[in-house]
Amino acid sequence: MSEEIKNNDTTEESKSNFIRNIIDHDLETGKNGDRVATRFPPEPNGYIHIGHAKAICLSFGIARDYKGTCNLRFDDTNPTKEEVEYVDSIMEDIHWLGFDWEDRLYFASDYFDALYEYAVQLIEDGKAFVDELTPDQIREHRGTLTEPGKESPFRNRPVEESLKLFQEMKDGKHEEGTLTLRAKIDMASPNLNMRDPVVYRIRKAHHHRTGDKWCIYPMYDYTHCMSDALEKITHSLCSLEFEDHRPLYDWFLDQLPVPSHPQQIEFARLNIGYTLMSKRKLRALVEEKIVNGWDDPRMPTIAGLRRRGFTPASILDFLDRIGVAKGNSTADISLLYFCLREDLNKSAARVMAVLDPVKVIIDNYPENQEEWFDAINNPEDESMGSRKIPFSRELWIEREDFMIDPPKKFFRLAPGAEIRLKHAYYVTCTGYETDTDGNVSEIHCTYDPDTRGGWSKDGRKVKGTSHWVSAKHAVDIEVRLYDHLFTVENPAEYSDFHEILNPDSLTTVTAKGEPSLKDAAPGTHFQFLRMGYFYVDPESSNDHVIINRTVPLRDSFKKVMNSAKK
């Protein structure tokens, strides 16, 4: 774990919240023998996203601050949706965020034998039975929030018969959907989760760890609490949707001779504007090729955020700022971008690149001459030093930095206007040329040799400064400009997310960059002067430089969308 992340954690993560208050009280009263043990239990059916990062930082952060332990446990109880790729990606993402489970890596499948034996005991104690109702019939019998459910006609079958059928289920003698094992609780309970929930179902599918040993698999509600108990977890931290499941969590633990009785505590899940957190919908985006994989920089997955150029420190800072609460809310994505800019401002080297180039010809500059200017890499950190950038007669500047007939307070280049070229000279526009469509194709200027370095000897000042790149030395760069994937702030409110996809979520341009960018290593952060923060894509090479825009210098998306609504 980097020192930067450690320092951020120990100063910010230690803020008080209701979960820490509960733990403090438990420690004061001697509960759990003064132990604090948490766990993070992802299901390996997709890549984890920034919502999971909140749970990761909470569980691992609490374990760290209380000098306890945090286990990583994969809930691999559904072999039809799980892949080793997801297991590997989740471990990589947790490490990237700065956390480590040390030697405490577990899988729910580690406990399949124990879970089966506990299920047998439930049957023997008359607290579970093998049911022959189909899944549809079970739903029909379940009742509603206002009407009690109906007991299965198989609910009171003899214990010996349920034991025999459960063994046959394990031996593969019955087909999927024909039998289930259900807990015998209360079909009239106001909590639907307590109405004889399914404990085991038949799944004749190959498991990525246990192979074909099992053809019955435990349900999450049963697996979750039993695994916590077997690992002697003290505080089982879950998102708010599991609050109604807590009575069932406790019921299983109360019925069985487990080695510990963890406490489940729920907290509000993370929702962020313009973002979907449903793993099912994220999977659909990938499978329908709306995005280019789980690590597409438009995705809220940790892999996607990393590829876009987010840093662990910025994500942890964001999570610290929003805090931990009991009620669900939606965080403003602008806060996430603010935290990212705050971090990158301190660490990203400044370079010049032109995303929408138009040529500038300095008519009074010698044709075969070139100069190299010193440029500071980061004014926030002198230790990052400086670099040399070339200057020549023909340059590229941003097309938006020139207007033929500018409005007032336009401080860029225009006919007769003088501006500063960053690090170089003052130049004055003397004319321009257009193509057959009327678009500006060339801008003609003169330069003042007495303003070398970008400062005049006579003390005159100019209001506008433009970045530029020498045309002779420019490097062609594929720049991917990423924006929000959805056009509305709360995409989860729409049943069909296809209706709200942002057609401009990815724009690819060929930019002109200063020559130092040709050797930019994948994974390097830059600030393109005046344009934003950028990140060298993992697929980039010296022959094909690919750079992703991480975030603009300012958040203009809301302004654009609000204008479109008017």
Side-chain angles (χ1 to χ4, degrees), residues 323-396:
V324 179
K326 293 182 180 181
N328 285 326
S329 61
T330 299
D332 192 334
I333 197 168
S334 297
L335 177 59
L336 176 61
Y337 290 160
F338 170 81
C339 295
L340 178 60
R341 293 185 186 101
E342 284 281 291
D343 185 41
L344 292 179
N345 183 54
K346 296 176 290 187
S347 59
R350 275 56 166 171
V351 297
M352 293 197 290
V354 178
L355 305 186
D356 185 12
V358 61
K359 182 164 286 188
V360 170
I361 300 174
I362 305 176
D363 294 315
N364 65 333
Y365 193 87
E367 287 193 27
N368 297 320
Q369 181 173 311
E370 64 181 53
E371 298 175 78
W372 291 77
F373 293 100
D374 287 322
I376 296 173
N377 287 329
N378 189 334
E380 303 292 327
D381 185 355
E382 293 182 1
S383 68
M384 294 180 67
S386 63
R387 68 193 185 287
K388 296 284 188 180
I389 51 175
F391 183 86
S392 61
R393 186 171 186 265
E394 296 188 0
L395 311 172
W396 298 109

Side-chain angles (χ1 to χ4, degrees), residues 168-203:
E168 291 177 358
M169 289 170 60
K170 178 177 180 291
D171 294 340
K173 295 181 179 180
H174 298 274
E175 297 304 314
E176 292 188 13
T178 59
L179 297 177
T180 57
L181 179 69
R182 297 177 64 184
K184 190 185 296 186
I185 308 179
D186 181 5
M187 290 302 293
S189 172
N191 186 333
L192 271 64
N193 296 295
M194 302 297 283
R195 295 182 184 177
D196 292 4
V198 174
V199 181
Y200 269 86
R201 80 285 205 204
I202 301 171
R203 284 284 187 275

